[in-house]
Structure formats: C-alpha cells, structure tokens
Amino acid sequence: MSVTAPPPASGRVRRSLTAAVVTALAATLLSVVPATTAQAAPVLLSQGKPVTASSQEHYGTAAGGAVDGDLGTRWSSAASDGQWLQVDLGSSVAISQVVLRWEAAYAKGYRIELSTDGTNWSTAYSTATGAGGNETIAVSGTARYVRMQGVTRATGYGYSLWEFQVFGGGDGGATLPGGGDLGPNVHVVDPATPGIQAKLDQVFQEQESAQFGSGRHAFLFKPGTYDNLNAQIGFYTQIAGLGLKPGDTTINGDVTVDAGWFNGNATQNFWRGAEGLTLNPANGTNRWAVSQASSFRRMHVKGALNLAPNGYGWASGGYIADSKVDGQIGNYSQQQWYTRDSSIGGWSNSVWNQTFSGVEGAPATGFPEPRYTTLDTTPVSREKPYLYLDGNEYKVFAPAKRTNARGTTWANGTPQGESIPLSRFYVVKPGTKAATINQALTQGLHLLFTPGVYHVDQTINVNRADTIVLGLGLATIIPDNGVTAMKVADVDGVKLAGFLIDAGPVNSPTLLELGPQNSSADHAANPTTVQDVYIRVGGAGAGKATTSVVVNSDDAIIDHTWVWRADHGEGVGWETNRADYGVRVHGDDVLATGLFVEHFNKYDVEWYGERGRTIFYQNEKAYDAPNQAAIQNGSTKGYAAYRVDDSVNTHEAWGLGSYCNYNVDPAIVQDHGFKAPVKPGVKFHSLLVVSLGGQGHYQHVINDTGASTVPAGTSTVPSTVVSYP
C-alpha cells in the first residue's frame, strides 16, 4: 500500500498408490533415524552438490534425487553390477561419515571411495555383507569426490538410494551449542527493571520512521504487572509477553501504533508486532493503526481497540489472531482487515473488505453492504510458536493444530501444544554465516533468529520434520548472489514464523520454497505452517526475484504473510525490482488465512493445486506499469491478481479484494481482477475490485462477471460480486 491510497468511503493426481508407498517408506526411514541433539556430529556436505552416476534406471530416477534432501526422490541404476554414484563437494575437505539410505533395491557388496582429483581413488570402506536400509559408515580421509561403487546387487534390480549423504568439515565436525543469550537487540525486562519507559521511547525514536532501516528490536516482558507504560511500536519492533498465556503479563497502559511520523497516514505502518500481553488501556481504548505485515496475536485488551490513526486518516489493513478484545474494535478507516480465531465485543463499520473466521462476536456476513465476510470457524489452524519463560528457563511453545477452530487457544486454560527448551535451538546472531546455520539444522537444532539483518550466500535448507525457524524483532534474511533464501523439504510439521526475506540485487529464481517439485507426501495430520513471514522485493535497495514464494508441499498453511514488490523506497522501478510472480501454489489442500500479495509484474497469486482454500486476500496491482503493452497478457489486458489454473477442479475462497492505482499511465485497463475455471467445484465468495481515484480501471471482477469500475469515475467505489459462479 502506498501514500497515494485514497481515503475510504495443475492439478496433480495426489496420494496415488505409488505416492502412498513412497510416503510410507519415507516416514519409515525418518522414524529410524536416531534423534539428534546438540551433541550430534558433523556437517552435511553433499546436499545439493553436483552428482553423477554410471547409469539411471529410467526417467525420474536421476542421480540428483539422491542428494536433494528429499526422501521421496531417489537415484536408481541399470540392473547390472558395478554401477556407481559420485558427488563433487567442490573442494577437498575432511570426511568423517557417509550415510546410505537405501531403497528396497540395495547393494550387498560395495565400496566407499575417496578422491581429491576425480581420477585417483582410495577405498575408505568396503563390505560384502551390506544390510540395506539406513547404513551409517564412519570414514576417515580428505576428499573432494566421494563415490559409492557398487560391487554386488542384493536384488534383481539395480542399485537404488533415497539419499547419499557425506558428512565432515574443516574442523572435523565440531558441534554447535544450543541455547545461550538472546543478543544485544532483545530487551528483556521484568517489573523491577528501571527505565523501561525510557528504553521504549529511545527505540521508538530510532524506529518510528525507519521504514527501510537496519535496526531490529524485540521487547520481551517477563510475567508480572507493569504500570503506567505507553509502548509506542515503530518499524521492525516486536513487543511480547514471556508468559505461556496472555494473562501472565499485564501492562496497565498501552501498546500503541500511530502515524504522526507520516502526517496521520497509516498506510505505511508495516513490519511490527505485538504478542502475548494483557492490556488495560489508560483511557479504555488501545490504538493499533497499522497496515500490512503487522500482527496482533495472543493479546487480551481489557477495553476497546482503535484501528485508525489519530485524526482517522488512511489505513490499509491488518491481522488479528488468537486474541480477545473485551470492548468494540473500531475499524473506522481501515480499508481491509482479517481477524481469525478470536473473541471480540463488537466491530464498528466496514470499508472494503473486512473478513472474519472463527471469531466469537463477529458481525454476520453482509457483503456487499456492509462489507463483512464471516465464517463461523477456521477449517484448520495452528498458532504461531513463541518464546516464553518456564520458571527461569527459556522455552519455545509450539501450539497444537486445531480443526474447525473458534475462539482463542488460551481462554479455557493451558493451551495445547509442545514446549521445547531453548537448548534445542541454535540462537542465530548477526554475522552468522549460512553454512553455520545449515550445520545447526543438520545437527538437529531448531533456529531462533535474534533481531538483525542476515546475508546468506547459500540456501538455508530445512530438511527435518517438525523443525521450528522462529524470528524475533523481524529478523531479516537477504540472499546473496541469486540464491534461494530458504527451502523446506517435503516433511511433516515444519514451522516458519516471524521473519522477513528481502530479495538481493542479483535475481533469485525463488525466495522461499516449501517442498521440492512434485512433492506428494500427505501432511494433513501435521502440516507445515508459515506465519508472519514477510517477503520484500525492493524498497530497502535493489532487489529481484522471479517468484517470491513457491508452495509444492501438500496441506501447508500460509497464515498471515505480506508478499510485496515495493512501490516506494530505494531500488524501485518496473525493471529495477523486477518480480514477475508473488505466490505460486502447486501443493494440494493448501490453506491461506490472511494472504496479502501486491504489485508483481505479472500474476500476484497463481494456484495449481487441488482443493486450495483462501480466507481473506488483499492485493494491489503494480502501480508502476509504464503502459498497457507492458501488462498485455496475450489477448487479455493485464494479469489477474489471483488466478486459479484451468486444470483445477476444486477451489474455494472468501473475502478477496484487488485494487489498481496505475499512476504512471492512468489509462491502463485490467480485463478482470480474478480469473478461474468455470467448474462446479471452483467457488468464490465476496469479491471486489477498486480503482483508486480513477488511476486505471477493471472491466470485470472475475472472468467476465462483475461491473466495470469505469462508471465510478474517480470516486473509488468498489465493483462487487457476492458469489461466483
């Protein structure tokens, strides 16, 4: 959203027998891997490295399948003895361990061979009685190339490996410690801490208008009661209670976001958050005037909540989850808002798109006027992990999954979930290299990113089921040299939360990937979740990425994200921060709750997976398109803000809005805001498109349905469709 915003008035065949067998086998393999701790040994060196083989059985079992970290892909050879698989580590390094994860077709006799030049080989291990399954082999030597040389097959098939893993490292595999202090940008206070208000004020002064600055801060309040505080929250600042429940930490005062820094305009109050506190507002009403990428979670406001800035100026959207507001929420000038699994005393008015799911006290659906879209429950949800104190010990609480959720997780006692000691986390601090981060993950540690900006020169690979990657204070990851910032394997229950990925100046093909291509494992019982993870291309400087987020894994939950190609700041221009696609979903049964995606050069959201669902979607088309030709999509004028592929048979979405503000060429026309196949299983509810001040227009809302925005002229009146088809 920009300062110029006007004031309000393929579907894959899934879970086939083959996929089920692969999934079951992968699960079996995972179950027999010993649980690793901070005392686990060396660094995984082979994953993603160049790999060659003597042969492959048929298409789909190439050598790369054995070094991709995915237990659903494999290499298999021709059905003859003497086949080999070899990985190039890039440089000579001390080798300490090789792990062979065999498919049913394994080697009875084989050698592990080492070479520094790829020509002269030495044998580090040899056996004629291989047992198959998972074999962990201690080896010793220095090598750039490591080879599994098959001698005798155990079956009539070839040799087949799910994974070929080589471990070692320059220091012989020294382990990284878990736990430790939280670094200089985490401010932990208790009721007896002197100067709390002064420290809050100091950080706010630094962060109030630092929209693209490098400062990052988290204020963590130990359980207790704090009197007469007004915590003003600026950019890249998080405030949170350290209790297990919001009632453990009470502030008699306010947690405030206002827009004085921007002349009463709150449309750029991004990147901040409040969690886990009980508030008794000084005058009975707490002010939280934010826009995108600002979360309000596990909060109890014993009074009212005002979502508008002082003076009721412009504001452009936000997110509340797992919270209780005893009084009324004053929406006022908020153009769009999503509230999930909460309890509220009332809601004041609607503007364009106010959406609720699982909210006690929410207004009934009234779309198109008032513009409320309300679902009684949220189909599936799992709250964001959070840091808390159990006595004097830091732990991270990972809430349990809920189905058909309604109301908060904590109102009726202790929330359900798992507590994990901080000693099982690698505490990442500014200056930490990507190789070290990956070493920690390989050791079996979770990640806690402390507030800061992190440059990574290699992809962060999250390959272990149930791994938590949690950021404090909007920790920011910048990929260097065009790498993908983070990839998650096709495993159960990974939890990503509370950080920002900022594209680097060299184009990245993707910034965040959930699962490799053709992922097929069933994660319905334990999905991967992405929460308060924000993506930015440009704004803080030059940045490019072809596609920001790719979701290949099934059953993933995207719960509150802002994926933004910058429309203002540094490094901004139609080609300067080129980013064609925002979010692409290939996985089946993916749920998005609170999806904000804006300004991409082509499609903002594309959905190829079956049975996808979106509850609340907010979009703006790219402001800076130079002319109609720049966004011509074949015979179609413009790229839809949200497109469901023609191959999809089942899809459903509620509460969607797309806005155009073509301020370079106001004559630009979009044929439609939304595009979807016309099929009985593809359903949309409560859609609208808006021309902001007449800067460009939509001909239709979805496909060829819905009135043009042209008759409204410059008065910014939405065109709506209640249901489609």
Side-chain angles (χ1 to χ4, degrees):
M1 186 62 72
S2 157
V3 60
T4 57
S10 67
R12 289 170 293 128
V13 177
R14 175 170 186 258
R15 297 168 188 168
S16 63
L17 177 61
T18 300
V21 170
V22 170
T23 300
L25 180 55
T28 301
L29 291 173
L30 285 170
S31 69
V32 299
V33 178
T36 54
T37 68
Q39 286 71 48
V43 180
L44 177 60
L45 303 172
S46 54
Q47 190 159 301
K49 295 296 175 63
V51 62
T52 53
S54 56
S55 65
Q56 71 179 57
E57 181 182 8
H58 55 72
Y59 178 77
T61 61
V67 295
D68 62 1
D70 183 357
L71 290 176
T73 62
R74 62 189 173 96
W75 164 71
S76 59
S77 76
S80 61
D81 290 332
Q83 307 296 325
W84 53 264
L85 179 77
Q86 149 184 336
V87 63
D88 178 359
L89 303 177
S91 61
S92 292
V93 64
I95 307 300
S96 59
Q97 187 181 88
V98 172
V99 175
L100 303 172
R101 302 186 187 279
W102 293 104
E103 197 245 357
Y106 67 96
K108 183 177 180 181
Y110 65 89
R111 299 188 301 272
I112 300 299
E113 299 179 335
L114 309 181
S115 174
T116 57
D117 58 10
T119 301
N120 300 295
W121 295 89
S122 62
T123 298
Y125 175 81
S126 179
T127 183
T129 57
N134 291 348
E135 296 187 82
T136 300
I137 303 157
V139 297
S140 179
T142 298
R144 171 174 174 171
Y145 303 90
V146 181
R147 182 165 70 188
M148 188 290 297
Q149 175 64 64
V151 177
T152 307
R153 292 168 294 142
T155 73
Y157 299 99
Y159 304 91
S160 183
L161 282 165
W162 293 109
E163 285 294 301
F164 178 49
Q165 296 176 310
V166 179
F167 293 83
D171 60 0
T175 59
L176 296 169
D181 71 271
L182 301 177
N185 298 324
V186 176
H187 314 286
V188 180
V189 300
D190 61 42
T193 301
I196 297 174
Q197 185 66 60
K199 187 63 177 179
L200 288 165
D201 292 346
Q202 175 202 327
V203 170
F204 177 66
Q205 185 176 14
E206 296 170 3
Q207 300 300 119
E208 180 184 11
S209 59
Q211 182 172 178
F212 299 111
S214 59
R216 303 288 186 272
H217 294 272
F219 283 92
L220 305 182
F221 283 67
K222 292 182 180 181
T225 300
Y226 300 79
D227 294 324
N228 303 315
L229 289 182
N230 180 20
Q232 298 183 81
I233 306 301
F235 285 101
Y236 312 109
T237 304
Q238 175 191 22
I239 185 170
L242 283 172
L244 186 61
K245 298 184 293 183
D248 296 335
T249 309
T250 297
I251 292 178
N252 292 319
D254 298 85
V255 172
T256 301
V257 177
D258 206 346
W261 74 278
F262 205 45
N263 301 314
N265 177 348
T267 59
Q268 293 183 21
N269 280 352
F270 313 139
W271 303 306
R272 62 199 78 199
E275 302 181 38
L277 296 166
T278 293
L279 304 180
N280 287 302
N283 67 357
T285 300
N286 189 76
R287 185 184 303 278
W288 186 255
V290 298
S291 288
Q292 291 78 22
S294 298
S295 63
F296 199 79
R297 293 181 179 268
R298 294 184 301 106
M299 298 289 286
H300 185 186
V301 181
K302 293 187 173 181
L305 187 65
N306 183 344
L307 303 181
N310 186 29
Y312 301 94
W314 306 339
S316 66
Y319 171 93
I320 293 171
D322 201 23
S323 294
K324 187 176 191 298
V325 179
D326 294 350
Q328 179 172 269
I329 296 181
N331 182 70
Y332 302 118
S333 55
Q334 280 289 354
Q335 294 159 342
Q336 60 273 321
W337 197 278
Y338 176 53
T339 308
R340 178 183 63 72
D341 299 352
S342 295
S343 177
I344 65 176
W347 192 273
S348 70
N349 66 297
S350 69
V351 179
W352 291 338
N353 178 19
Q354 278 66 37
T355 302
F356 309 83
S357 68
V359 178
E360 298 167 345
T365 294
F367 197 89
E369 192 59 50
R371 293 188 176 94
Y372 297 141
T373 305
T374 301
L375 286 72
D376 189 59
T377 62
T378 303
V380 185
S381 63
R382 185 174 65 202
E383 300 303 328
K384 175 184 173 183
Y386 57 91
L387 189 68
Y388 80 104
L389 275 173
D390 184 2
N392 292 319
E393 182 183 6
Y394 283 111
K395 295 181 178 179
V396 170
F397 187 73
K401 188 192 78 169
R402 297 199 292 169
T403 56
N404 298 318
R406 182 172 173 84
T408 70
T409 62
W410 47 267
N412 297 318
T414 302
Q416 300 299 302
E418 179 187 10
S419 289
I420 304 166
L422 190 63
S423 60
R424 290 172 55 191
F425 283 75
Y426 182 66
V427 180
V428 191
K429 296 175 184 174
T432 304
K433 301 297 184 183
T436 303
I437 295 169
N438 280 326
Q439 179 184 349
L441 289 167
T442 300
Q443 286 182 198
L445 295 171
H446 305 277
L447 299 178
L448 181 72
F449 279 87
T450 64
V453 178
Y454 299 84
H455 283 264
V456 295
D457 59 1
Q458 60 181 257
T459 299
I460 297 171
N461 290 300
V462 183
N463 295 320
R464 191 182 72 257
D466 297 311
T467 299
I468 297 173
V469 180
L470 178 61
L472 300 178
L474 280 295
T476 301
I477 300 168
I478 302 175
D480 292 334
N481 303 318
V483 303
T484 296
M486 188 176 294
K487 293 183 180 181
V488 177
D490 192 24
V491 296
D492 274 357
V494 172
K495 303 164 189 72
L496 310 181
F499 56 89
L500 169 65
I501 296 176
D502 201 354
V506 178
N507 185 74
S508 293
T510 58
L511 294 173
L512 174 64
E513 293 184 22
L514 304 184
Q517 291 183 9
N518 300 315
S519 294
S520 60
D522 184 343
H523 306 296
N526 186 13
T528 285
T529 49
V530 178
Q531 300 174 288
D532 300 350
V533 172
Y534 311 125
I535 309 292
R536 181 171 67 195
V537 183
K544 291 185 177 182
T546 303
T547 305
S548 288
V549 179
V550 177
V551 182
N552 291 314
S553 289
D554 294 340
D555 307 296
I557 300 174
I558 311 300
D559 178 46
H560 188 228
T561 186
W562 186 37
V563 182
W564 185 58
R565 175 182 168 264
D567 63 284
H568 62 275
E570 297 294 326
V572 171
W574 185 247
E575 297 294 342
T576 305
N577 62 327
R578 183 84 194 186
D580 284 348
Y581 308 104
V583 177
R584 284 179 148 176
V585 180
H586 297 274
D588 294 335
D589 299 288
V590 172
L591 171 65
T593 52
L595 186 60
F596 299 73
V597 186
E598 297 190 302
H599 304 308
F600 286 85
N601 294 78
K602 292 185 178 179
Y603 290 114
D604 298 279
V605 170
E606 288 187 286
W607 214 291
Y608 297 89
E610 286 289 353
R611 298 176 297 281
R613 291 175 291 185
T614 295
I615 305 173
F616 182 89
Y617 175 65
Q618 186 266 323
N619 166 264
E620 284 185 347
K621 295 303 299 174
Y623 289 1
D624 57 343
N627 48 51
Q628 187 75 50
I631 62 164
Q632 192 67 21
N633 181 14
S635 61
T636 301
K637 295 177 181 177
Y639 291 82
Y642 186 109
R643 184 183 80 88
V644 179
D645 192 70
D646 288 345
S647 64
V648 174
N649 294 307
T650 305
H651 187 91
E652 194 161 11
W654 298 261
L656 302 94
S658 178
Y659 323 128
C660 71
N661 182 42
Y662 288 116
N663 55 22
V664 176
D665 182 0
I668 289 175
V669 173
Q670 284 270 138
D671 274 351
H672 42 237
F674 303 90
K675 186 178 186 301
V678 182
K679 298 179 181 179
V682 178
K683 302 175 183 178
F684 286 79
H685 314 272
S686 303
L687 303 98
L688 63 88
V689 294
V690 180
S691 170
L692 303 181
Q695 303 269 64
H697 286 286
Y698 297 89
Q699 294 285 64
H700 303 286
V701 179
I702 180 169
N703 295 347
D704 296 327
T705 298
S708 170
T709 58
V710 171
T714 61
S715 57
T716 314
V717 175
S719 177
T720 62
V721 170
V722 175
S723 63
Y724 184 86

